[in-house]
């Protein structure tokens, strides 16, 4: 023990750095695990809490034995929810003449909720209804279970599972940095004691005794340092969220064990090597061969890890909830080590070439620095590898943060499609059909809001192709560049622009406040063909309801109810008056609709629009009706001579209602509605440009002509989706469907990102003022669609690991500086005798460290960039699925890490320069310089 104490005191500077290294590793590991626990717990509580807490509502009749009913529910909750903290509130509602209802409201106890409880909440919510229905003591005459607790818990469970799988990458990096740092600093300490060990072995000390002494020393140094690091981690975590002491304590314990094991193992290897050393071993050839083998082995593992990561698409095991593939998770960290070792391999020839060139120069300092650096690469391993890992970690942290932020924003932009998306459902249901009671939303009102650059109506929903669901978006093609915010919006809708489907339709005056129609027609039942008993006391004339379909310049259709004229058998003329409000400029009459009632007996119907007059401020303006009119619908139309006037004749024989429209414009609608389909949809349908695909949209089969493919469709999160022009779609549905789906949304583009919050508020107010049911209005922005940031735990852990790795690298550099300063004391005397000034010696020694630090920093930037390009897309895809954002580096972490590395290296180099200069000025006799 006295000998061990004297040996420790002789190297107290290095041992102090080893202790600091253990402190930093324990602090970094504890802070990383603590932040991971805190952020995931906070995320889980936020997902199920907030202004609209998740809940399940169980409703049934009160049983004859309420106590047994309550006990049955409680037992089912305890059994199904796996111990998750759930609060149950019970209420009763009175019922006249019948047993009252009992309502249990199940909400999670957020103060006690942890991420592991999400699985129990999700599974229990799914199974609760069936379980309670089978318990007669609980379910009385049926039971209902409603609420979103299970769905929200399942979504958050999947998000946190993905984050847990990805977070293993920075944790693996931290583990590797820690092991490399401990091993390399242990080697530096062992190298400084090599002469002592040789003397002790020569005097009879056994390797086992040396190992035992080293183990005691490692315990004395490592355990208190790890405890101190754990305390610092707990201090850093104070106020950072709901963390528990378990993870930091576990990190500290692992750090202490690793420190003792690594430091003891290094000494054991050294003692055995010294005891068995021969002449051939001193040549260094075996060491060089082992180093080459290490480089090849590490490179092979790194390559396999990166290939595994890219093949899986993320570190997560397919089908495993939050389970990471070990090889894929370790791939980026091992790749950084491999690139750091490759730098060392290249550093040898580079420094020798530098020494050769410096020898030709006039300055002695440059030659000494170059030659000493070339010959001292064994010590350069420590700072170079650690700096490569540290700066590479910072680059990975910045690349992950920047790419994940871009991916989340891109996914949100893709899901929303524009800056502000306003949904204004029609009366009754969100899928209301166009009609006088459910007109399309007025996009011009939103375009006039402060901060709005453009606005357009949108029809967004689901369709089916071959029985499979696809996302469907219909927008005015000309408005897409102005309102869509996804990449490529300026040209995405170009293939959708075609001929005007209502070319030649009658144009209405812009300031029309009403329309006057003159109808001539007759409804003539064929009583001779009917049995008198069937028509006795019956009104055999079917009703005829007239509607006007107006089309705005953006393709939006509006339906006006013209009423049901009383048409007799003599062909009387009828005048109908239709009020018009806020008619868009350039509107045209697209079609005249006829809704025909059932025909009790065969009936001849003849309806002709003879005149149309618009009421304006300047008086009545006649509308020219001389256009091409095509009859469509379920009522069979008779052939007309030229179709230049809006006239419809038919013989009704069906007892069911029917409909007909006289559509203005071309009679040839083409093979289908031009559509852009996603790459995934084209691959699923095996469709190429020019193919026609039948889509069932709003209950009607619509042929779509594929005119191109896109990666994604604005406003759709589905991989398989289609985009069409709203006007062209309406023109097609106008010919085939009795009812057209109402564009229930308005997409509003902002003049700048800063204007979005205020614009969203104004758009919500405008929509609620116009909506028949203001509570149904929803406004969505990109910030709303982004939702909870499931990648924040990964991002925080990456940043903590990068910060800890930089500190570890600087401590490694300091350890090398302390070792070389003490070990080269005799060299200072020789150079002083040769006339090298003290300041020149200090500057040369500082330059040596500077060269190593710069090489490690630059190599770390390069290595981090390479690994980021290969690994970060897969890491981001694990947290933000379905995205393919290019790698974008957030410069903050990288800049801070580089400045810290450069600044710390400068401080260490300056301290070494000062010590060496002081040694050169010291002329006293000392034993170590004999």
């Amino acid at each position: 023990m006295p000998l061990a104490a004297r040996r420790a005191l002789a190297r107290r500077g290095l041992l102090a750095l080893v202790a600091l290294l253990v402190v930093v590793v324990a602090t970094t590991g504890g802070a990383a695990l603590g932040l991971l626990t805190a952020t995931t717990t906070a995320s889980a509580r936020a997902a199920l809490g907030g202004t609209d807490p998740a809940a399940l509502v169980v409703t049934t009749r009160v049983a004859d034995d309420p106590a047994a009913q309550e006990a049955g529910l409680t037992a089912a909750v305890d059994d199904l929810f796996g111990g998750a903290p759930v609060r149950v509130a019970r209420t009763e509602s009175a019922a006249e003449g019948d047993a009252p209802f009992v309502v249990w409201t199940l909400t999670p106890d957020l103060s006690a909720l942890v991420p592991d409880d999400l699985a129990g909440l999700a599974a229990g919510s799914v199974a609760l209804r069936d379980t309670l229905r089978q318990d007669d003591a609980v379910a009385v005459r049926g039971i209902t279970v409603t609420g979103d607790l299970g769905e929200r818990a399942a979504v958050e469970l999947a998000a946190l599972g993905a984050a847990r799988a990805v977070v293993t990458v920075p944790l693996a990096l931290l583990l590797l940095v820690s092991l490399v740092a401990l091993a390399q600093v242990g080697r530096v300490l062992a190298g400084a004691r090599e002469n002592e060990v040789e003397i002790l072995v020569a005097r009879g000390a056994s390797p086992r005794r040396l190992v035992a002494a080293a183990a005691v020393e490692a315990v004395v140094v490592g355990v208190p340092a790890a405890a101190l690091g754990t305390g610092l981690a707990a201090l850093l975590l104070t106020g950072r969220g709901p963390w528990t002491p378990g993870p930091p304590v576990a990190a500290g314990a692992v750090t202490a064990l690793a420190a003792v094991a690594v430091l003891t193992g290094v000494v054991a290897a050294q003692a055995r090597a010294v005891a068995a050393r021969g002449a051939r071993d001193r040549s260094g050839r075996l060491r060089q061969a082992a180093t080459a083998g290490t480089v090849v082995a590490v490179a092979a593992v790194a390559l396999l890890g990166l290939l595994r990561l890219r093949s899986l698409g993320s570190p997560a095991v397919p089908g495993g909830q939050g389970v990471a593939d070990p090889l894929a998770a370790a791939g980026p960290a091992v790749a950084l080590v491999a690139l750091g070792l490759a730098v060392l391999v290249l550093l040898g020839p580079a420094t020798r070439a530098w020494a050769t060139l410096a020898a030709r120069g006039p300055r002695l300092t440059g030659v000494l620095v170059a030659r000493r650096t070339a010959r001292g690469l064994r010590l350069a391993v420590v700072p170079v590898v650690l700096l490569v890992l540290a700066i590479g970690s910072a680059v990975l942290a910045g690349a992950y943060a920047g790419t994940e932020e871009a991916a989340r924003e891109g996914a949100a932009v893709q899901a929303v499609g524009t800056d502000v998306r306003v949904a204004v459902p029609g009366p009754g249901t969100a899928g209301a059909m166009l009609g006088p009671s459910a007109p399309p939303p007025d996009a011009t009102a939103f375009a006039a809001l402060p901060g709005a650059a453009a606005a357009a109506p949108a029809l967004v929903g689901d369709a089916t192709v071959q029985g499979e669901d696809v996302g469907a978006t219909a927008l005015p093609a000309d408005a897409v560049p102005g309102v869509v915010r996804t990449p490529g919006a300026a040209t995405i809708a170009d293939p959708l622009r075609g001929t005007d489907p209502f070319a030649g339709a009658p144009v209405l005056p812009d300031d029309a406040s009403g329309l006057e129609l003159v109808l001539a027609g007759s409804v003539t039942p064929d009583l001779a063909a009917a049995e008198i008993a069937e028509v006795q006391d019956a009104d055999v004339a079917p009703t005829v309801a007239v509607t006007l379909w107006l089309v705005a310049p953006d393709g939006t259709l509006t339906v006006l109810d013209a009423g049901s004229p009383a048409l007799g058998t003599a062909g009387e003329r009828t005048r109908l008056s239709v009020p018009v409000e806020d008619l868009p400029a350039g509107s045209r009459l697209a079609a005249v609709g006829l809704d025909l009632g059932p025909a009790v007996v065969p009936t001849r119907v003849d309806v002709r629009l003879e005149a149309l007059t618009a009421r304006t401020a300047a008086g009545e303006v006649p509308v020219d009706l001389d256009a091409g009119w095509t009859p469509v619908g379920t009522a069979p139309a008779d052939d007309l001579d030229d179709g230049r006037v809006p006239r419809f004749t038919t013989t009704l024989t069906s007892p069911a209602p029917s409909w007909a429209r006289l559509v203005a414009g071309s009679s040839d609608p083409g093979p289908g509605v031009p559509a852009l389909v996603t790459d995934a949809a084209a691959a699923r349908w095996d469709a190429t440009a020019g193919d026609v695909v039948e889509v069932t949209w709003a209950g009607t089969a619509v042929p779509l002509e594929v005119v191109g493919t896109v990666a994604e469709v604005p406003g759709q999160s589905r991989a398989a989706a289609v985009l069409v022009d709203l006007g062209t779609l309406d023109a097609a549905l106008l010919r085939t469907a009795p009812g057209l789906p109402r564009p229930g949304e308005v997409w509003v583009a902002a003049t700048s990102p800063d204007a979005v919050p205020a614009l969203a508020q104004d758009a919500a107010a405008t929509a609620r003022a116009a909506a028949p049911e203001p509570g149904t209005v929803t406004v969505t922005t990109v910030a709303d669609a982004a939702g909870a940031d499931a990648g924040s735990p990964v991002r925080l852990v990456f940043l903590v690991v990068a910060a800890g790795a930089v500190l570890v690298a600087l401590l490694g550099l300091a350890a090398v500086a302390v070792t070389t300063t003490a070990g080269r004391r005799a060299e200072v005397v020789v150079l002083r005798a040769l006339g090298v000034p003290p300041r020149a010696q200090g500057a040369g020694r500082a330059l040596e460290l500077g060269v190593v630090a710069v090489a490690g920093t630059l190599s770390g930037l390069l290595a981090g960039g390479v690994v980021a390009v290969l690994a970060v897309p897969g890491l981001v895809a694990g947290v933000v699925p379905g995205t393919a954002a290019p790698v974008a580096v957030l410069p903050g972490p990288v800049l801070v890490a580089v400045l810290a590395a450069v600044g710390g290296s400068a401080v260490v180099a300056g301290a070494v320069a000062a010590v060496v200069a002081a040694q050169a000025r010291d002329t006293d006799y000392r034993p170590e310089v004999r």
Side-chain angles (χ1 to χ4, degrees), residues 207-314:
R208 182 177 301 177
R209 184 175 181 183
L210 292 175
V211 171
V216 172
E217 183 181 80
V219 169
V220 172
V221 173
V223 173
L228 178 59
T230 302
L232 290 176
L235 185 63
L236 292 175
L237 291 172
T238 302
R240 299 293 179 181
W243 66 280
T244 57
V249 171
V254 171
T255 302
L257 291 175
V260 173
V262 171
L263 294 177
T264 305
V266 170
V267 172
Q270 182 193 45
R272 287 195 297 268
V274 170
R277 183 175 294 168
R280 188 179 62 174
D281 300 328
R282 298 178 181 272
S283 66
R285 294 174 182 173
L286 290 179
R287 183 169 53 203
Q288 291 177 0
T291 302
T294 301
V295 173
V296 173
V298 172
V301 174
L303 181 61
L304 291 175
L306 292 177
L307 289 176
R308 179 65 172 167
L309 176 62
R310 294 180 69 85
S311 66
L312 292 177
S314 76

Side-chain angles (χ1 to χ4, degrees), residues 92-120:
E92 289 187 13
S93 60
E96 296 183 3
D98 203 345
F101 285 99
V102 58
V103 178
W104 291 282
T105 302
L106 281 62
T107 56
D109 184 0
L110 299 180
S111 62
L113 183 71
V114 295
D116 292 339
D117 296 326
L118 294 174

